[in-house]
Amino acid sequence: AYGMGLDTIDGVIVTEIYPEGPSDEAGLQVGDIITHFNQISVNSAQDLSTEVSITQLNNPVPIKIVRNQLPLE
């Protein structure tokens, strides 16, 4: 994230969205930076993968992202 002009290196950059997949349904866009998933700080792709893997299917969870250098929830 630091390389995108942000003051932090925390988070995972979204590089691909599958049509009608959970990311698409959540409104994520390529280039978004996921900083929190289910109220857990995300510092790496491994962090995100772990949190997603322990989340029940079809169970909405809160996420925090940065889009165009602006934080969104």
Side-chain angles (χ1 to χ4, degrees), residues 28-58:
L28 291 174
Q29 298 176 7
V30 170
D32 286 350
I33 301 167
I34 301 171
T35 60
H36 292 79
F37 182 88
N38 203 17
Q39 301 176 343
I40 304 293
S41 180
V42 174
N43 298 309
S44 69
Q46 181 64 40
D47 288 349
L48 180 60
S49 179
T50 298
E51 291 305 317
V52 169
S53 72
I54 61 174
T55 301
Q56 275 188 328
L57 291 175
N58 300 316

